[in-house]
Amino acid sequence: MQTVRPYAAGDRDACLALFDGNTPRFFDPSERADFAAWLDTSTHPYLVILRDGRIVACGGHALEAGGSVASLCWGMVAQDVHGQGLGRALTQARLDAIRAMPRVARVTMNTSQHTQQFYACFGFEPVKVTPDGFGPGIDQWDMMLQLPV
């Protein structure tokens, strides 16, 4: 059974384990401290997906620019369950929450060359590509999704 629920402080270690399992292909090791600090201090919505009681995905979103722009934050899926629809479920849950906010006109995010095509399937378009932007061998793709008016 699969459940989506809000992040709780007790989920911290499991979310850090997801990060570690996706390093170094999807995240540079230098990003771990930023992610841990974000988990400890962020007040933005953050979700976890549990499958049979185990956290297998996490990700959130934040509001920017006076509430007209949202951004996807720190989305990841356990390495051993990639390709099973969890990333799609997590992204869809975050986009549904964002679309429920009446003033949001667009969604921004940054990702790597490894997942940019996944987000393109949701309508995100590349805005800028920075080679090695996250670390050696991990390019930063800044992407945007314009929401219908």
Side-chain angles (χ1 to χ4, degrees):
M1 181 166 159
Q2 188 168 295
T3 307
V4 179
R5 67 161 170 79
Y7 171 85
D11 301 331
R12 183 181 193 273
D13 289 345
C15 290
L16 288 172
L18 293 180
F19 179 93
D20 294 340
N22 282 289
T23 303
R25 181 165 187 221
F26 297 102
F27 296 105
D28 188 78
S30 66
E31 296 178 274
R32 190 180 198 276
D34 290 339
F35 179 50
W38 195 87
L39 289 173
D40 292 341
T41 62
S42 177
T43 58
H44 298 294
Y46 203 66
L47 300 173
V48 296
I49 297 180
L50 292 94
R51 181 180 279 173
D52 299 324
R54 173 184 163 222
I55 293 177
V56 292
C58 57
H61 65 277
L63 285 179
E64 306 170 3
S68 65
V69 178
S71 61
L72 297 184
C73 308
W74 294 110
M76 60 196 80
V77 174
Q79 186 69 33
D80 65 326
V81 292
H82 279 192
Q84 297 182 21
L86 292 163
R88 178 165 293 286
L90 177 64
T91 302
Q92 193 62 59
R94 295 187 290 168
L95 289 175
D96 288 348
I98 290 167
R99 285 186 175 108
M101 297 180 224
R103 294 185 36 211
V104 177
R106 70 179 184 269
V107 184
T108 62
M109 60 149 332
N110 52 55
T111 192
S112 73
Q113 72 271 25
H114 304 295
T115 53
Q116 60 82 21
Q117 190 59 45
F118 168 82
Y119 289 104
C121 292
F122 285 91
F124 283 89
E125 297 181 354
V127 175
K128 179 182 174 187
V129 178
T130 307
D132 298 327
F134 289 118
I138 307 175
D139 302 339
Q140 179 175 327
W141 283 64
D142 297 329
M143 302 183 80
M144 183 188 71
L145 170 66
Q146 193 70 41
L147 296 179
V149 185

